[in-house]
Amino acid sequence: SFSLFKRWSARIPTMKLNGWLQAWMIRWPPPWRNGQKCNVKYMTQTRARPPTFVVWTNTTSEDMPRNYIRQIQNAMRDEFKT
């Protein structure tokens, strides 16, 4: 129970998060939409309980494919287990 609380309360430093994101995007590049590459520029954690992240992109949220966002979420869960 304590380990679950610790994981739920965890904060990931922005520098570590963005370093991981850039390396991840080299392996799985963002898709193209409407003739423009959907590029994720920056990510930061805004809340710890529950873990909440904000992503800045060069597109609107409607143009960023949901499956790509889901892929990032799943990769983050695997990478940042505590």
Side-chain angles (χ1 to χ4, degrees):
S1 145
F2 179 71
S3 64
L4 182 61
F5 179 78
K6 182 179 173 186
R7 184 175 179 193
W8 191 54
S9 302
R11 296 217 29 113
I12 302 170
T14 301
M15 188 172 146
K16 182 176 181 180
L17 190 60
N18 283 299
W20 169 83
L21 179 65
Q22 295 303 316
W24 186 84
M25 285 186 356
I26 288 171
R27 185 158 184 191
W28 290 281
W32 288 73
R33 280 285 178 115
N34 303 324
Q36 181 181 15
K37 186 176 183 180
C38 297
N39 197 15
V40 178
K41 298 179 178 285
Y42 186 79
M43 180 187 291
T44 190
Q45 185 175 5
T46 56
R47 289 179 46 189
R49 291 183 228 151
T52 307
F53 298 88
V54 176
V55 177
W56 282 265
T57 68
N58 64 339
T59 63
T60 62
S61 61
E62 294 84 28
D63 287 339
M64 183 61 77
R66 290 279 145 225
N67 61 340
Y68 191 72
I69 296 295
R70 220 172 12 257
Q71 190 176 5
I72 292 174
Q73 290 172 340
N74 292 335
M76 283 177 61
R77 278 189 200 104
D78 290 343
E79 178 69 22
F80 296 109
K81 288 180 187 174
T82 47

